[in-house]
Structures are given as C-alpha cells and as structure tokens.
Amino acid sequence: MKYSLGRRAKLTCCGEQVEMTMRTESIMGNLEPALHTVTLVFSQCHPNVDLDLLPDPAGEEPTNRFLQALVQILLTHVNSTFDRTSKVLDFHHPHQLKEGLEGFSLELPDRPENLEQLLVDCRDTLKYGVKTGHPRFFNQLSSGLDIIGMAGEWLTSAANTNIFTFEISPVFILMEEVLLKKLREKVGWPPVEGDGVFCPGGSMSNLYSILLARYSYFPEVKMHGMAVIPRLALFTSEHVIPDILVAELPQTDRLPGRLCKCSHYSIRKAAGVLGIGIENVFLCVKLTPQTLLCSSQGLVPFYINATAGTTVYGAFDPLNEIAEICERHGLWMHVDAAWGGGLLMSRKHAGKLQGIERASSVTWNPHKMMGVPLQCSVILMRQKGLLQDCNQLCAEYLFQPDKHYDVAYDTGDKSIQCGRHVDVFKLWLMWKAKGSEGFGSQVNQCLENADYLFNKLENRADFELVFKNKPEHSNVCFWYIPHSLRKMSRGLEWNKKLHEVAPKIKTKMMEEGMVMVGYQPLGEKPNFFRCVFSNPATTREDVDFLVDEITRLGQDL
Amino acid sequence: MKYSLGRRAKLTCCGEQVEMTMRTESIMGNLEPALHTVTLVFSQCHPNVDLDLLPDPAGEEPTNRFLQALVQILLTHVNSTFDRTSKVLDFHHPHQLKEGLEGFSLELPDRPENLEQLLVDCRDTLKYGVKTGHPRFFNQLSSGLDIIGMAGEWLTSAANTNIFTFEISPVFILMEEVLLKKLREKVGWPPVEGDGVFCPGGSMSNLYSILLARYSYFPEVKMHGMAVIPRLALFTSEHVIPDILVAELPQTDRLPGRLCKCSHYSIRKAAGVLGIGIENVFLCVKLTPQTLLCSSQGLVPFYINATAGTTVYGAFDPLNEIAEICERHGLWMHVDAAWGGGLLMSRKHAGKLQGIERASSVTWNPHKMMGVPLQCSVILMRQKGLLQDCNQLCAEYLFQPDKHYDVAYDTGDKSIQCGRHVDVFKLWLMWKAKGSEGFGSQVNQCLENADYLFNKLENRADFELVFKNKPEHSNVCFWYIPHSLRKMSRGLEWNKKLHEVAPKIKTKMMEEGMVMVGYQPLGEKPNFFRCVFSNPATTREDVDFLVDEITRLGQDL
C-alpha cells in the first residue's frame, strides 16, 4: 500500500477540522510524507505536545496519532534493517554527533520541544545508530531483530511494571516461573526442583553464581562479612587453549593475577566486587595440582566456572571432566553458558554441553543465541531455596507477610536488585511464536552459516583460520592476509604487520557501513576477525558478501 | 474515528487477495473487530506466523500488519489506563492464573502458535496485569504511564543494542553523557567534572556507591580482596525517626544486625554481597559516638548513606549535618535520592535536598518521581575516573584500544555489568518533550496532591495521620480507624486490631480493583496505609475517591 499524494481527508483535532493530505491508509505506506503530514497537523494545533497527550482529558486522539506516527518511523527502521541495500551504520565520530548533525542536537532544553521535533529526533536517533538486526551485522554475540520479541518489549513498556511482587506483576511473575522451569528442564535438571532469576546481563548472572556458591559453603558471610571466612580461590576457563596456556603457567609458584587476563572478564569483575579479589581467580588448566597449591597457601578453592561457548573462540569446556573434579573436591560447578546455552534448544547441538546437568548453577543469555531482544539473561540454580536464603532480608515494609494471596510469589527478596525490569515477557512470547522447535531450527541455521564460512575460508590463500578444527559454536576466527604479507617470511615483524590489518579494514568498513564484524588480539595472537552468527536473517549470500568486502577493503594493505 | 462495520476491502496476503471487513482506517478505531479481522486474515494465510514475518523475504507486509494489530492492543490498553471507569486490576490468585483463565495458558509449547493466538495472549497479559499508570494506582513509588517515555522504550527495543561501546551504541553513549552531566548539574556539582552510569535499579546504584567508596579508601581490595583491608563499618539512615529509634538503641554495645531492620534494604543487601557483612551496617543516629565505638572494636567506618526521600515516610535526612560529620571524620557521603532526586527538578522543592552537593555519590531514579518508564536509575559520582579505575579490567577482546575513533567513549568497562540495557533514551526523549521546567511542574503537582490528601485527613475522625507534620515528599501515611475501634481505649489490644484493618481493606480493594494503595507496619507502628503520588494523571478527585473507597470498604470492620 503506497502513500497517495493529493488525497485529502478531514481530521478533527482539538475540536477543529484540520485538512490532511494523507489518507489513514498511508500509515502503511512511505514514512516521509505521512510523517510530514501528521506532524504538520500536530504542529498547527499542539505547540506543546506533551501536555496535550494523555493524561490530558482530550488526549486520547493526539496520543493515538502521535504513537501511530512513531510506529511509522519504527516500521521504516525495521524494514530497512532487513534491507541489504541499506547501510548497517552511518558512521560519525563522537565530536561530529556532539556538534549536531543536520540539526540533530543531543542537548537538553529547559522548555519543551514540539511533537514534530520529537519525531524528527526519533528518526535521527535511529539514523545515526547501528542496525544490529541487519543480516550483515556480525559484530556481537547479540544480533538480529526478532519481530515477536520486539513486540514483547513494546507490550512490556506499555505495562510498565516491576517484577517485584505478585501484587504488581501477577502475570509476569508466573511467566518467570514457567520460563525458569522450562530452561532448567533444558539444562537437564529435575524441573520441579531448582530455582533461578532473570538478571540484567550475563555478568550479573555470573556474579550471582559466585555469591550463591560462597553463601552455600560459608553462610555466615552474609551477616559477618569476609573477615570471618577463609580466603577463597576460584577457577575459570574462558579462552583456555591448553597447549598455549599451560606453557605460560609457572608450575611451582602461585599464579599471579595477571595471568588471568584470558579468563572471562565477568568472573574477575565479580571477584573484585564480592571482595574475593581478582588475583584469586585462577585458570583451571591442570586443575588438581593448583587446587592443592591453593589449599597449601591458605586459599580455599570453592568454585569452578566452566565455559560453554567462549566469547571469542566459541569453545566448550569438557563439562563432565570438570564435574568430576568438582565432585571429587567438593567444589561448586558453575557453567557460564551465556553464549552456548542456546545450543540446548537444538537436538543436533545440545550434546556439546554434555555434563551441564552436573552443574550447581548455569548462566544462560537468551538475548544471545536465541535472538531475544536485549536484555534477557538468567541464572539457574539446581538447589531450591538457596537464592532466597542468600539474599532475603524480609523487609516488611516491602514484602508484607499478611497479604491475602500466596506470598511465595513475591519474589523480589530473592534478588539483589529488589525491583527488576520485566525481561521475561519477550522470551515468553517468542517461545509461543516459535515453540522449542523453532528456537532449535534457528540455532541450527546459525551454526550452518558458521560451517559455510569456515569451509569457504579453509580453501582461500588470502585468509587464514585461527583454528584448523571445525567451529563448535557459531564463532569463526580468521586473519585476512593482504598481498604484501603473503610473500613475507613469518616472524615477529610479520606478526606486527598482521596485527594492524584488521583495525585498518575495520576502519574502512565502518566508514562505508555496509557490513560489520569484530576483531581482537588474544594471548600471543595478533588481531584477528571474529565472525559470529546469531541472526536468523543472515544467509550464505551475506557470508559471501562479508568475505568479498574484507578482500576488497584489504586489497591495498 | 470509529470502526465501520460492513465496509469491505481487499488485501493481498501471500500473493492472494483476501477480503477484509475492516477498512485500514479502522485501525484507529475499536480494538475487537479490528483485531478479529486482522487475525482472521492472518490465520487463513499464515498458520505459522513467525516464519512469515521479517526476515522472510516477503515478510514486510505481514510484519507491518502484525505490529499494527499489536499497537491497536497497546493503544486500547493505554487509553483504558487513563479511563477512570476502567479497573486498576482484575485480580486473580496465582493458582487461578496458572490453571488457565478463559484459555489464557502460560505454558510454553514445542510447536509454534499462530498470530491470532499471540495477539490474544498479548491482550490477556495486559488484562490480567495491573495498570500502574491508572490515576488511582497509588501503590508504588513508580507509577504513571508517560506516553513519550513509552515511545522512547519502543524505539529502544527497535534499536536493540547494548550501551557498551561507541561502536555499537554511538548515539545512546553520547545521550548518556549528556544526561549524566545534566543530572550532576542538578545535584549542584561542577558539571565538567564527575562521572556516573545508568544502573538496573536503585539497589544496584547504591551497591555501586559502596563499591566505589571502598575502592576509594582501599584500592588494594580490587586485586587482593577483603582479606588485606580492615573490617569495615557503614552507616545508613532510612526510616530513622530519631525519637523512636534512639530509644531502641543499646548505647554501650555494638549494635546487633537485627536492629538495622529499619535501614534501607538495599544498603544492607549490598553490604552482604560485597563481603562487608550485614551486621556492619549501622543506623546513623548519634553518629559520632558510634563511629568511635566502631573504631575501638576494630571496625573502620568509611561510608554514610543519607537518604533523601525514604521509601515509607518520604523523609529527608539533614544532608548538611551529615556532610559535616563526613568531612570531619573523612567518610564517604552517599545520598540515596532514588525517590527524592526528582525534587531537584522543582525550584519550589529542591531546597529539601540542600547539602546534596557535598556528597561524594548520589543515587537517583528517574523512574520514580520523574515518571520515566521502568527502569531508569543512575549512580552519580563527584570524582572523575574513579568508576573506571574501580571496575576496569581492560579486556582487549572486548575493548580494542586500536580503533579509529576516540575509545574514551567505550564506557562498558566502567560498569560491573559489562553490557547494559539502554535506559537513557526514554529519559532523553522525555526531557526534550517536557524540558527541565516540565519535570518541575510535574513534581509540584504530585506534591500538591499529597498536601491535599494530608489536609483532608487532618480533619477526619475516621482517619489518623502517622505524622502530624506536613509531608516533605509526596508520601502520606495514615490509619483508617473503623467504627469499632473509635470507641475502644487505646493500648496493645487496640494496636493489634488496628494492625489487621489495612490488610482487610486492601484485600477487598484488590478484589474490586478500582483503586490500589499500599500498606505496611514499621517499627512499633501497626499496619498503616502509605499513599504516594508520582503519577501526573492523578487529580484531587482521585484522592477523594481513594478516601471514599477506604471508608466504604472499611465501614463494617
């Protein structure tokens, strides 16, 4: 349906008839003329829009029309997100955006601006942003724009409540319960037991896991603090490529903190926050000797984080082996499956997480591999009641025990955040829309794209894979080797030059804006590209496009 | 514009013409027939909706129509939220909702459900929820449904990005900077200095403040943990009504943790999480002797939380007095202005926070008094750089230093969450719509409603105010005294009976669903109602309605 210029209609606005050049049907059509007309009507009648919207007694019509105009802008954005001829981003430097591009001012006024300006601001905000749902956005673990998920977020904000008590969030509290149970089932735990809570991101979920583990071994820490418990050591494994890192490890000394640079960021951050100290996070290669070493130095090991799907390589730890170590030494086993958890939805790939059912806690971010809009992360626990015991303070002024309904559903005291944003509805609605099976197919498709890219690069002289093995997850790590380097003999100088290649290509890529992929160094390895697939919109043609673009942008390097 | 039954149109759906009984104009009209027709069209052609939406190559039209149908449901909800003849809630017990009401099933399927069912699920989710934006919802500090704020959330979810690096959030990162500067300006700090970050709720913001304070005095804690620093003590003041609590305090002993039950929940939670221990949170009445007491027992005081706007009473601590104590003893002064911060937007009421400019950190939740949709909370810091120093780990695999833009804008390493939900845009857009002045008027109006209620109850025999002084914030605390109690002599028995009045009235109130107000006990005081005003939709007539309803529901008690 297209906008028919010249068709006129009369619209009553503030009790007066206003002539519109737009039929209402055109709301389904092009943005610009529709937007122009709607805002024209508004700017004639509503110099101070905000006060004319609801709750103003005459606010219903202006509110509906304003939101319809906004939805037009959003639909245009959504449609162009999936349009391959449209850019992924329209890059500008921070100072350019701050100076105000084409009238787009970030500064905040004392006096209200009118509706027309607000809609233009909305359009500009999207224009200068990054289309993370674009089929050629390969930059982050979270990508894609799931329509049902977005619809879920729209409803969540219209409901505008806090998942704190059953009293103010009856439906969402129950949805959280249903989802937690379903996710625990996928982990492989008996679904009736167990616990969990949706968290603001995977780092917080991991923090919860350490907090819970510490409380489980040393419940006195809650009341009396770290001063009354032994010094703790915890172990993690992110990015562990045993053959590299074992060589780096001093075998006889206690591992200095700096060696933990490869362990996941969030485990170290949490150790800092919780008062355990970053240096007490150890790599968990050669675990048993280290465990003993810690004990002999007065550190008490209590927790191992195994990673199911590392951020850069997409690697999976051998969960059963780690589970055995944990069981033997009485340690808490946490699995950070923020990225890898999605694979549990696929019959084909769930086996990569074998052993996860032996964990005491699991982090899983549906906003990554399952494509749920940001944020949606969960910490799951095998043991029921621990989360409540660890965090509750029973403040009667927040949680009244004498309510007329079953107050076991007032879950706010389980969390450290007290009130929480409702992150469950979008996932619940997507699950209804796709079914478990739909999530499974989506995951399979992403991993097929990774396979396709891996196979393609394997046979190219101008690319080199960081690992020769097939990717376990959807991460494919590779270098582009420009002409000038292909003839050079390898060594320090070569590495140094190669290190500069990815940033140079990335710069051009962002300036042109047709595709986005991330890069980073890791350990001794110079900067390499990491391509990840989590967007169901991506096809093989998009993978081809990425490879062609890198080749084109890097040809003169 | 109303739905015109009988008007027919032809719509192309999946290449076939489908007859519709609805004109597109009717999207602006009644929900039910429009919803019915749209979903009818869909269910004929799209048994598996999700796969037909974008990114399906033919997904643009179905996507637009699906979202339009969803928006109809949301608009109906928005309009009924402000309709006083519509209920605030349609109460059902947890077991009723779980059993499935009129086909509303919370259970998650293996196979996809169709669009029709999804839209019905959306409608039911809203139907069985609570209208927190209703003018007669007085239950929480966060209330209201700001249209512009909700529009901001819709855009945020369409943008679906993470406020992590400038690379993927260029506009939002800059908006956060602008907002932080503006809020610091309102606190009264030199705007060019200082720092801050938007957090997932006020409890997290308060946790940040303690984390920062601890790091500021003992930076070694980050690397080595609590074992290498002294045992810490911190002070807080929530709900302190000196004449009651001073009496409760044992003057010679170290204060046991249980006496802290009146201090704010989030400070105690954070002390537990950070490894300081809940028992080391002290009430800050008679501060100086306690401070000395702590020192003599090997506890080092380092932090005072002053509250600007307590949760129940809406009381303000004497910030200048506390600032003097902090300056004298070299303590970190934090102001929890989660609830009271909004008053800084009002010329009339900002003076209640005098002395806040002497704080080292401030928590401020725009999702409370400023009516921003949930969540929107900020921790502000006077000192620049501390947040970064305290939290950064410089993981190169997340934050590449060799990017082509100014990487000072990659702010993810300042936070403990790593990636964060974008909570800034809705506040930014509302600020554009209202201007600072608009927020000011909104705050004034809420406090005028509180005044009106206070004055009204002052002259009633069937109500009793918990405090005789005019409310400082918009909290009004009161008992309803039923007939049977008015004649009884006061004492333990009277208190016991009074304690049961509020829960009984609240039960009936929720079952009837026309109004909602909270109650709680506090200290020795039996259950009392706490009415709070943060919704600009509320008028004096709504206040009258609340009082009449309580009288009606309580008349036979």
Side-chain angles (χ1 to χ4, degrees), chain A residues 25 27 50 54-55 60 64 67-68 72 75 77 79 91-93 97-98 105-113 118 121 125 128 130 132 139-140 144 153-155 157-161 166-168 170 174 177 179 182 203 214 222-226 239 264-265 269 272-275 277-279 373-375 391 393 395-397 399-400 402 404 409 413 415 417-421 425 428 431-437 503 506-507 519 521 527 537, chain B residues 25 50 54-55 60 64 67-68 72 75 77 79 91-94 97-98 105-113 118 122 125 128 130 132 139-140 144 153-154 157-161 166-168 170-171 174 177 179 182 203 214 222-226 239 264-265 269 272-275 277-279 373-375 391 393 395-400 402 404 409 413 415-421 425 428 431-437 506-507 519 521 527 537:
Chain A
E25 284 97 315
I27 277 181
D50 184 38
L54 287 168
E60 187 167 322
N64 291 358
L67 289 173
Q68 287 287 0
Q72 274 318 298
L75 289 182
H77 169 77
N79 293 333
F91 182 79
H92 294 85
H93 284 279
L97 285 169
K98 284 166 91 168
S105 164
L106 295 169
E107 290 309 316
L108 299 168
D110 287 333
R111 305 265 311 141
E113 287 183 358
L118 289 185
D121 286 340
T125 298
Y128 298 118
V130 175
T132 57
N139 211 74
Q140 308 292 126
E153 275 292 78
W154 290 9
L155 183 144
S157 61
N160 192 32
T161 196
F166 181 82
E167 185 171 329
I168 58 161
L174 296 178
E177 186 187 58
L179 280 166
K182 202 82 183 172
S203 289
R214 181 175 70 179
K222 177 179 175 180
M223 186 56 80
H224 308 299
M226 295 287 284
H239 303 312
H264 193 270
Y265 185 77
K269 278 220 169 175
V273 170
L274 298 171
I278 290 173
E279 67 171 357
L374 288 154
Q375 272 180 341
N391 291 319
L393 289 178
E396 277 188 73
Y397 75 92
F399 305 99
Q400 302 81 40
D402 49 6
H404 71 299
Y409 289 95
D413 214 8
S415 79
Q417 300 107 288
C418 191
R420 287 179 296 134
H421 184 260
F425 182 69
W428 182 87
W431 206 308
K432 286 266 183 186
K434 293 179 202 295
S436 317
E437 293 175 12
K506 178 72 179 264
T507 300
Y519 73 86
N527 279 320
Chain B
E25 284 94 318
D50 184 37
L54 285 169
E60 187 167 323
N64 290 0
L67 289 173
Q68 287 289 359
Q72 273 320 297
L75 289 181
H77 169 77
N79 293 333
F91 182 80
H92 294 85
H93 284 279
L97 284 169
K98 284 166 91 167
S105 164
L106 296 168
E107 291 309 315
L108 298 168
D110 286 333
R111 305 265 311 142
E113 288 184 356
L118 289 184
C122 285
T125 299
Y128 298 118
V130 175
T132 57
N139 211 75
Q140 308 293 126
E153 276 291 77
W154 290 8
S157 61
N160 191 31
T161 196
F166 181 83
E167 185 171 328
I168 57 160
V171 181
L174 296 178
E177 186 187 59
L179 280 167
K182 202 81 183 174
S203 289
R214 180 175 72 178
K222 178 179 176 181
M223 187 55 80
H224 308 298
M226 294 288 283
H239 302 311
H264 192 272
Y265 185 77
K269 278 220 170 175
V273 170
L274 298 170
I278 290 172
E279 68 170 356
L374 288 155
Q375 275 181 337
N391 290 320
L393 289 178
E396 277 189 73
Y397 76 93
L398 297 173
F399 305 100
Q400 302 81 38
D402 48 7
H404 71 298
Y409 289 95
D413 214 9
S415 79
I416 57 180
Q417 300 108 287
C418 191
R420 287 179 297 133
H421 184 259
F425 181 69
W428 183 87
W431 205 308
K432 286 266 181 185
K434 292 178 201 296
S436 317
E437 293 175 12
K506 178 72 179 266
T507 299
Y519 73 86
N527 278 321

